[in-house]
Amino acid sequence: DVSRSFYLSMRLLPKAMREPVSLAYLLARASDTLADTEGLAAELRHEMLLGFGEILHGAERTAWLVKLSDEVIPCQQHQGETSLLKMMDEVFAWFHDFRDHQGHAAILKVMDHILHGQMLDIERFEIGQSSGLTQDAQLEEYCFLVAGCVGEFWTELGYISLLGFSSIEAERLKCMGINYGKGLQLINILRDLPSDLKQGRCYLPGVDSSDRDAMMVEAARWRARARAYLSDGQVYAKSLKLRRTRAATALPGLIGQSTLDLLDHASWAQLEEGVKVSRRDVYRFTWESFFV
């Protein structure tokens, strides 16, 4: 209920990777819901994310869950997100019961990065009242924290869970995974430019957010960078030895490339209406991912 395309990737994964990836996804999806809940003060969202991380590191969660129930859940508009937040006690229990699994440390590491990125976002655009990012490095950092780290996590978990995960050595593959995740996050940012601007957020560095022509020129530059990062993702996926893992890894990139193609030809008005790959194409890419 809270995933469209990534759910398909999780279904494709071999069993050894599926549980830790699914657990990490639910944690990340819950924190993302907290970060983006409309109608909640920025300070409260920041506090809830900070407490989220403390719980993952072993803090007591009763008071946090009470605040979640009383102040956060009533503001939810999406049924799936509401259901997920109502089950956070069980999700946290699942994570803590997972502590003897080799993947536990990898999940904790990736969640630390994601929570840092989400809190930084709130601090930058709401609590700090920033006018936006000024340097490419700031956007690169943000993309790593909320998505590039997932490529790193995927790699670490693959080597932990599967014998002969890839034909590429681990450190090089990890760098490719980071780039892959950053490319996918850039696509999200480029697709959501108008909606983010309405919320006072401009992720494109050093551009006048009121100048639509300048925004479109800058967006084209970042689309080119996203394509370069996705090319690392293609090499990554092709290096994996198990077909199910290869398909699960390739699928987001196939959807991402198609989204970039749509964005290449989209006007600002079309961006405002929403650009996304059709469900029919998503299922077609799911089939094609087995032949990467």
Side-chain angles (χ1 to χ4, degrees):
D1 292 336
V2 291
S3 172
R4 182 168 174 250
S5 58
F6 194 61
Y7 171 74
L8 297 174
S9 284
M10 289 188 285
R11 285 290 301 271
L12 292 173
L13 281 174
K15 185 177 180 180
M17 280 186 72
R18 192 183 312 135
E19 182 178 5
V21 168
S22 298
L23 172 55
Y25 177 79
L26 288 181
L27 289 167
R29 191 65 184 80
S31 68
D32 191 58
T33 299
L34 291 174
D36 293 341
T37 297
E38 295 182 4
L40 286 184
E43 291 77 9
L44 176 58
R45 285 181 278 124
H46 191 278
E47 176 189 345
M48 294 300 291
L49 291 170
L50 184 63
F52 194 114
E54 291 171 347
I55 291 168
L56 293 180
H57 282 272
E60 207 280 328
R61 60 182 182 265
T62 301
W64 188 92
L65 289 168
V66 170
K67 183 166 287 192
L68 180 75
S69 178
D70 292 347
E71 301 184 42
V72 179
I73 289 176
C75 295
Q76 300 308 310
Q77 304 296 319
H78 186 281
Q79 184 176 351
E81 292 174 347
T82 301
S83 298
L84 174 57
L85 293 185
K86 285 181 177 179
M87 296 181 67
M88 282 312 297
D89 191 29
E90 289 90 339
V91 176
F92 284 135
W94 181 13
F95 173 72
H96 291 306
D97 287 345
F98 211 66
R99 64 173 57 89
D100 293 331
H101 189 282
Q102 285 183 300
H104 184 270
I107 296 174
L108 186 59
K109 177 182 175 182
V110 74
M111 284 306 304
D112 282 344
H113 284 314
I114 289 171
L115 288 163
H116 179 198
Q118 291 165 340
M119 288 188 285
L120 178 64
D121 208 40
I122 294 173
E123 292 164 8
R124 175 178 284 145
F125 290 110
E126 298 182 73
I127 296 175
Q129 295 296 308
S130 168
S131 59
L133 284 67
T134 58
Q135 300 176 4
D136 286 8
Q138 292 175 310
L139 180 52
E140 292 278 357
E141 177 197 34
Y142 175 69
C143 288
F144 167 74
L145 288 172
V146 299
C149 66
V150 176
E152 180 179 58
F153 163 72
W154 193 272
T155 308
E156 292 174 352
L157 196 62
Y159 276 102
I160 288 170
S161 305
L162 303 171
L163 185 65
F165 177 61
S166 168
S167 60
I168 296 175
E169 60 92 16
E171 288 306 311
R172 181 177 167 225
L173 192 69
K174 191 181 295 184
C175 291
M176 288 181 171
I178 288 171
N179 283 346
Y180 192 14
K182 286 164 63 176
L184 294 171
Q185 182 61 27
L186 280 175
I187 293 170
N188 290 337
I189 289 170
L190 295 165
R191 184 191 60 206
D192 296 339
L193 280 176
S195 58
D196 283 337
L197 283 177
K198 288 178 182 177
Q199 298 177 25
R201 301 181 181 214
C202 180
Y203 289 96
L204 300 186
V207 64
D208 180 356
S209 60
S210 65
D211 187 338
R212 296 291 180 264
D213 291 336
M215 291 281 288
M216 294 297 276
V217 169
E218 190 67 4
R221 181 169 76 89
W222 285 98
R223 286 200 302 276
R225 190 171 301 193
R227 285 191 187 277
Y229 285 156
L230 289 194
S231 68
D232 272 357
Q234 290 178 323
V235 175
Y236 185 115
K238 289 178 180 178
S239 79
L240 303 184
K241 297 185 178 181
L242 291 181
R243 172 172 280 191
R244 291 178 67 89
T245 315
R246 196 162 57 244
T249 305
L251 178 57
L254 294 174
I255 296 171
Q257 289 172 36
S258 181
T259 304
L260 286 172
D261 291 341
L262 294 173
L263 291 174
D264 279 343
H265 300 95
S267 65
W268 188 265
Q270 290 170 323
L271 288 176
E272 290 181 316
E273 292 174 3
V275 172
K276 66 179 181 180
V277 175
S278 70
R279 187 173 294 275
R280 179 179 179 179
D281 282 340
V282 169
Y283 290 134
R284 175 168 63 84
F285 293 139
T286 303
W287 172 254
E288 290 179 2
S289 68
F290 281 95
F291 302 97
V292 167

